[in-house]
Amino acid sequence: GNLGSALMNYRGFRQRGFRLAAAFDNDPSKIGMRIGRVPVFDVERIVPVLKRRRIKMAVIAVPAAAAQAVTDQLVAAGVNAILNFAPTQLSVPKRVKVQHVDLSVMLKTLSFYTTRSARAS
């Protein structure tokens, strides 16, 4: 989706030493394409591609309904760290670290500080 595409085009990852190696989608029009420098594979190939490339860290930017199924595939492929943009909690084994990113919570926090700052002025 749009968030995934934006993340793949974000140059800050590379500037900080992270290289995005693969993306996955279920949209046939995107499979086989590149977004930025990142090849897009069929979501059905998550496990073999990640195992072959020995990828240990992943980013999830899918709808909440698909997030756990994707997570299960990532875990099966040997991923041990996940940055989760999906608006849901994930169930993972203890060996897997998940960092949740909820953009609405971040905006709510900023809104609180903006309102608080305006009252103090």
Short mmCIF file of all heavy atoms in Angstrom, two decimals, residues 68 71-82 90-98:
data_model
loop_
_atom_site.label_atom_id
_atom_site.label_comp_id
_atom_site.label_asym_id
_atom_site.label_seq_id
_atom_site.Cartn_x
_atom_site.Cartn_y
_atom_site.Cartn_z
N GLN A 68 -1.30 -10.62 11.48
CA GLN A 68 -0.85 -11.82 12.20
C GLN A 68 -0.40 -12.91 11.23
O GLN A 68 0.60 -13.58 11.47
CB GLN A 68 -1.95 -12.35 13.13
CG GLN A 68 -1.46 -13.48 14.03
CD GLN A 68 -0.32 -13.06 14.96
OE1 GLN A 68 -0.45 -12.09 15.70
NE2 GLN A 68 0.79 -13.79 14.93
N THR A 71 2.96 -11.95 10.07
CA THR A 71 3.89 -12.16 11.18
C THR A 71 4.25 -13.63 11.32
O THR A 71 5.44 -13.97 11.51
CB THR A 71 3.27 -11.64 12.49
OG1 THR A 71 3.05 -10.23 12.36
CG2 THR A 71 4.16 -11.92 13.69
N ASP A 72 3.27 -14.50 11.23
CA ASP A 72 3.54 -15.94 11.34
C ASP A 72 4.52 -16.41 10.27
O ASP A 72 5.40 -17.22 10.53
CB ASP A 72 2.23 -16.73 11.27
CG ASP A 72 1.32 -16.48 12.46
OD1 ASP A 72 1.79 -15.95 13.50
OD2 ASP A 72 0.11 -16.80 12.34
N GLN A 73 4.37 -15.87 9.06
CA GLN A 73 5.29 -16.22 7.98
C GLN A 73 6.69 -15.68 8.25
O GLN A 73 7.69 -16.36 8.00
CB GLN A 73 4.77 -15.70 6.65
CG GLN A 73 3.53 -16.43 6.17
CD GLN A 73 3.08 -15.91 4.83
OE1 GLN A 73 3.84 -15.97 3.86
NE2 GLN A 73 1.87 -15.39 4.76
N LEU A 74 6.77 -14.46 8.78
CA LEU A 74 8.07 -13.88 9.10
C LEU A 74 8.78 -14.71 10.16
O LEU A 74 9.98 -14.99 10.04
CB LEU A 74 7.90 -12.44 9.60
CG LEU A 74 7.35 -11.43 8.60
CD1 LEU A 74 7.11 -10.09 9.29
CD2 LEU A 74 8.27 -11.27 7.40
N VAL A 75 8.05 -15.13 11.17
CA VAL A 75 8.63 -15.95 12.24
C VAL A 75 9.10 -17.29 11.66
O VAL A 75 10.19 -17.76 11.97
CB VAL A 75 7.62 -16.14 13.38
CG1 VAL A 75 8.10 -17.20 14.37
CG2 VAL A 75 7.36 -14.82 14.10
N ALA A 76 8.29 -17.88 10.79
CA ALA A 76 8.66 -19.16 10.16
C ALA A 76 9.92 -19.01 9.32
O ALA A 76 10.68 -19.97 9.16
CB ALA A 76 7.50 -19.67 9.30
N ALA A 77 10.16 -17.80 8.79
CA ALA A 77 11.34 -17.56 7.97
C ALA A 77 12.58 -17.25 8.80
O ALA A 77 13.67 -17.11 8.26
CB ALA A 77 11.07 -16.41 7.00
N GLY A 78 12.42 -17.12 10.12
CA GLY A 78 13.57 -16.86 10.97
C GLY A 78 13.78 -15.42 11.38
O GLY A 78 14.80 -15.08 11.99
N VAL A 79 12.82 -14.55 11.06
CA VAL A 79 12.93 -13.14 11.46
C VAL A 79 12.88 -13.05 12.98
O VAL A 79 12.09 -13.75 13.63
CB VAL A 79 11.79 -12.32 10.81
CG1 VAL A 79 11.63 -10.96 11.45
CG2 VAL A 79 12.03 -12.18 9.31
N ASN A 80 13.72 -12.21 13.57
CA ASN A 80 13.70 -12.07 15.02
C ASN A 80 13.46 -10.64 15.50
O ASN A 80 13.52 -10.37 16.70
CB ASN A 80 14.97 -12.65 15.65
CG ASN A 80 16.23 -12.03 15.10
OD1 ASN A 80 16.23 -10.90 14.67
ND2 ASN A 80 17.30 -12.79 15.10
N ALA A 81 13.17 -9.72 14.58
CA ALA A 81 12.82 -8.35 14.94
C ALA A 81 11.83 -7.80 13.91
O ALA A 81 12.04 -7.94 12.71
CB ALA A 81 14.07 -7.47 14.99
N ILE A 82 10.74 -7.20 14.41
CA ILE A 82 9.68 -6.70 13.53
C ILE A 82 9.31 -5.29 13.95
O ILE A 82 9.05 -5.02 15.12
CB ILE A 82 8.42 -7.60 13.61
CG1 ILE A 82 8.74 -9.02 13.14
CG2 ILE A 82 7.28 -7.00 12.80
CD1 ILE A 82 7.62 -10.02 13.39
N LEU A 90 0.58 -8.00 17.92
CA LEU A 90 0.99 -9.24 17.27
C LEU A 90 1.40 -10.26 18.33
O LEU A 90 1.99 -9.90 19.34
CB LEU A 90 2.17 -8.98 16.33
CG LEU A 90 1.94 -7.96 15.23
CD1 LEU A 90 3.24 -7.67 14.49
CD2 LEU A 90 0.85 -8.43 14.28
N SER A 91 1.10 -11.51 18.03
CA SER A 91 1.52 -12.61 18.90
C SER A 91 2.76 -13.24 18.28
O SER A 91 2.71 -13.72 17.14
CB SER A 91 0.39 -13.62 19.01
OG SER A 91 0.80 -14.73 19.77
N VAL A 92 3.86 -13.22 19.03
CA VAL A 92 5.13 -13.77 18.54
C VAL A 92 5.80 -14.57 19.64
O VAL A 92 5.53 -14.36 20.83
CB VAL A 92 6.09 -12.66 18.05
CG1 VAL A 92 5.52 -11.89 16.87
CG2 VAL A 92 6.43 -11.72 19.19
N PRO A 93 6.71 -15.48 19.27
CA PRO A 93 7.50 -16.18 20.30
C PRO A 93 8.39 -15.20 21.05
O PRO A 93 8.70 -14.11 20.56
CB PRO A 93 8.35 -17.17 19.49
CG PRO A 93 7.81 -17.18 18.12
CD PRO A 93 7.03 -15.92 17.91
N LYS A 94 8.84 -15.60 22.23
CA LYS A 94 9.68 -14.73 23.06
C LYS A 94 10.96 -14.30 22.37
O LYS A 94 11.50 -13.23 22.65
CB LYS A 94 10.01 -15.42 24.38
CG LYS A 94 8.83 -15.50 25.30
CD LYS A 94 9.21 -16.07 26.64
CE LYS A 94 7.96 -16.11 27.52
NZ LYS A 94 8.27 -16.44 28.91
N ARG A 95 11.48 -15.10 21.46
CA ARG A 95 12.74 -14.76 20.78
C ARG A 95 12.60 -13.60 19.80
O ARG A 95 13.58 -13.04 19.34
CB ARG A 95 13.29 -15.99 20.05
CG ARG A 95 12.48 -16.38 18.83
CD ARG A 95 13.18 -17.41 17.95
NE ARG A 95 12.38 -17.78 16.82
CZ ARG A 95 12.27 -17.08 15.69
NH1 ARG A 95 12.92 -15.95 15.54
NH2 ARG A 95 11.51 -17.52 14.71
N VAL A 96 11.35 -13.24 19.46
CA VAL A 96 11.09 -12.19 18.46
C VAL A 96 10.73 -10.88 19.16
O VAL A 96 9.82 -10.83 19.99
CB VAL A 96 9.96 -12.60 17.50
CG1 VAL A 96 9.68 -11.50 16.50
CG2 VAL A 96 10.31 -13.90 16.79
N LYS A 97 11.45 -9.83 18.84
CA LYS A 97 11.19 -8.50 19.38
C LYS A 97 10.30 -7.74 18.40
O LYS A 97 10.58 -7.70 17.20
CB LYS A 97 12.52 -7.76 19.57
CG LYS A 97 12.39 -6.31 19.95
CD LYS A 97 11.79 -6.13 21.31
CE LYS A 97 11.77 -4.66 21.70
NZ LYS A 97 10.74 -4.33 22.63
N VAL A 98 9.22 -7.16 18.91
CA VAL A 98 8.31 -6.37 18.09
C VAL A 98 8.28 -4.95 18.62
O VAL A 98 8.13 -4.72 19.82
CB VAL A 98 6.87 -6.94 18.09
CG1 VAL A 98 5.93 -6.05 17.28
CG2 VAL A 98 6.86 -8.36 17.56
#
